[in-house]
Amino acid sequence: MEFHIDKAKVLPKENLRSFLEGLKELGKLIAPLKKQEKFYFDVVDDVSKVELSYTRTILPPKKFLVPYRRERYTYDTVNLNFIASFKAEPQIIFGIHSCDLHGISILDSVYLKENPDPRYLEIRKKTVLIGISCKPDEYCFCMSTGTAFPDGANWDLFMTDIGDDYFVSIGSPKGDEVILKMKELFREITKEDLDLYKKSTSFKKSLFDFKTLPDLGRISQVIELEYDSPVWEEEAERCLGCGTCTNVCPTCFCYTEVDIPSLDGKTVSRIEFTTSCQYPYYSLVAGGHYFKPSRASRFKHRYYHKFVGYPYQIEKLGCVGCGRCSAECPAKISMVETIKKLRGTADEEELRKVAE
Ligand code: SF4
Ligand code: SF4
């Protein structure tokens, strides 16, 4: 029995390669690839190299929406006018996990909510986002941040592995268009597909070790109340201030700018590049004053922005639980462990006894 649900189709796995070939025809195809046991998003030349059995890439797909180095504008110093140089090309980012889709949703709020960034808007309009289901490892805590499953409307297609097939949810008219262009590769869903799809949610949940997940209930309050906690100093003791944690984060967006003149002096370009709140100079202002002079104050700032600042600014946590900052930190500092230390050791049972 077939279900004619407009919002979903089924892609048999044997058609995946043809689907990827078809996507390549629609624009620049970006997907997870593998090099020396690490995964990374890059432009795909050969679709047979696309790797879907990954947990996390080193950098999130954010780099194809907000490049780490981007030109804001170039100024013609002879004719005294601005030279428009930016042009977005159609691109398809394939194989994005739920946490990274939520990360892009945060970037959308930051870049598009008030005073939209025209370059980001242009890129987003020309980008198709295709997500895929995943299995967590010991660093993932998306079940705590509420980002383990795709939600909202910022993605175009989401493919859930249901065994021999992918259950493809359609999230936008752009996603619909993609499917229409390759409709011969898809089939209608059956009751069995729907049952398997429903089971996939509980299957993913079963892969988490709930005893080790952090409790993020009232986390903004916890972080604010623990402003003077010795935990910040203790953790920052080990921090190298390298900025890896912010550079790999799908939601960090801080940048700095520099003006670069051409050798003949006829033009000057304003270049924007990603920076990190963990670098001392990040808080340096004119007159030589540092707003965040100590490593501990910079360390604390990151948690504050993620768990107090973002909820205030965009009504969402600034962390999607991808685990990259902990997995890549050379000092093995774990965000989950820091949160647990800040929250203290009192368990729910103890708290109930105190309340009685
Ligand atoms: S990655 Fe680790 S060592 Fe480097 S700045 Fe972040 S917390 Fe500190
Ligand atoms: S703070 Fe860490 S776990 Fe959270 S989204 Fe950023 S990199 Fe991922």
Side-chain angles (χ1 to χ4, degrees), residues 51-251:
E51 274 285 346
L52 294 181
S53 60
Y54 81 100
T55 298
R56 76 176 59 71
T57 49
I58 303 170
L59 296 176
K62 176 182 80 172
K63 63 181 176 174
F64 291 98
L65 300 174
V66 190
Y68 280 72
R69 182 189 192 278
R70 52 180 197 160
E71 186 179 305
R72 190 172 272 272
Y73 54 76
T74 290
Y75 189 69
D76 182 334
T77 56
V78 180
N79 299 306
L80 303 184
N81 56 17
F82 290 97
I83 304 166
S85 57
F86 178 74
K87 197 169 175 297
E89 302 293 339
Q91 61 179 6
I92 300 100
I93 312 183
F94 176 86
I96 312 172
H97 288 172
S98 176
C99 58
D100 282 341
L101 284 173
H102 282 274
I104 293 171
S105 162
I106 289 173
L107 295 179
D108 287 350
S109 302
V110 170
Y111 284 101
L112 301 178
K113 215 170 165 190
E114 290 168 20
N115 303 319
D117 178 321
R119 290 161 306 163
Y120 185 85
L121 183 62
E122 185 70 9
I123 293 177
R124 276 299 270 119
K125 276 189 196 158
K126 299 246 170 105
T127 303
V128 175
L129 299 177
I130 304 181
I132 196 157
S133 55
C134 54
K135 291 181 187 157
D137 71 5
E138 71 275 23
Y139 293 106
C140 299
F141 58 103
C142 53
M143 279 308 292
S144 299
T145 50
T147 53
F149 301 99
D151 198 5
N154 80 315
W155 45 272
D156 301 300
L157 295 173
F158 192 88
M159 300 175 27
T160 303
D161 191 335
I162 54 167
D164 294 334
D165 308 289
Y166 290 107
F167 187 99
V168 185
S169 309
I170 304 169
S172 76
K174 260 198 261 178
D176 234 349
E177 256 179 62
V178 170
I179 294 216
L180 268 177
K181 284 198 171 102
M182 288 179 258
K183 57 179 187 296
E184 68 285 357
L185 301 178
F186 294 84
R187 64 170 173 78
E188 298 298 327
I189 63 174
T190 63
K191 182 177 179 313
E192 289 70 38
D193 299 321
L194 201 54
D195 288 345
L196 286 169
Y197 175 67
K198 286 181 194 162
K199 277 187 195 149
S200 70
T201 304
S202 42
F203 173 66
K204 180 163 180 183
K205 282 186 186 165
S206 75
L207 298 175
F208 285 92
D209 179 356
F210 279 78
K211 284 194 234 76
T212 61
L213 285 174
D215 172 7
L216 295 183
R218 294 190 293 176
I219 186 65
S220 305
Q221 253 187 313
V222 171
I223 299 267
E224 288 211 273
L225 290 171
E226 295 300 334
Y227 190 85
D228 294 321
S229 166
V231 169
W232 300 119
E233 289 283 347
E234 282 162 28
E235 293 291 295
E237 275 280 297
R238 289 152 56 211
C239 173
L240 308 168
C242 65
T244 300
C245 48
T246 61
N247 285 320
V248 299
C249 180
T251 71

Side-chain angles (χ1 to χ4, degrees), residues 141 245 248-251 302 306 318-325 335:
F141 58 103
C245 48
V248 299
C249 180
T251 71
R302 183 163 77 92
K306 297 283 175 211
C319 171
V320 294
C322 72
R324 284 187 180 91
C325 55
M335 179 168 249

Side-chain angles (χ1 to χ4, degrees), residues 199-323:
K199 277 187 195 149
S200 70
T201 304
S202 42
F203 173 66
K204 180 163 180 183
K205 282 186 186 165
S206 75
L207 298 175
F208 285 92
D209 179 356
F210 279 78
K211 284 194 234 76
T212 61
L213 285 174
D215 172 7
L216 295 183
R218 294 190 293 176
I219 186 65
S220 305
Q221 253 187 313
V222 171
I223 299 267
E224 288 211 273
L225 290 171
E226 295 300 334
Y227 190 85
D228 294 321
S229 166
V231 169
W232 300 119
E233 289 283 347
E234 282 162 28
E235 293 291 295
E237 275 280 297
R238 289 152 56 211
C239 173
L240 308 168
C242 65
T244 300
C245 48
T246 61
N247 285 320
V248 299
C249 180
T251 71
C252 279
F253 57 87
C254 289
Y255 65 89
T256 188
E257 293 177 337
V258 64
D259 289 340
I260 302 182
S262 60
L263 282 176
D264 59 11
K266 287 183 180 163
T267 59
V268 59
S269 300
R270 175 152 295 183
I271 306 296
E272 184 183 298
F273 58 90
T274 309
T275 186
S276 172
C277 57
Q278 302 306 296
Y279 301 151
Y281 71 76
Y282 182 76
S283 69
L284 173 66
V285 292
H289 178 73
Y290 285 93
F291 277 98
K292 298 271 178 274
S294 68
R295 197 169 296 168
S297 62
R298 295 191 289 275
F299 186 89
K300 180 158 58 179
H301 171 81
R302 183 163 77 92
Y303 285 75
Y304 253 74
H305 197 199
K306 297 283 175 211
F307 297 109
V308 182
Y310 278 75
Y312 178 73
Q313 286 174 297
I314 60 166
E315 294 163 18
K316 291 175 195 162
L317 292 182
C319 171
V320 294
C322 72

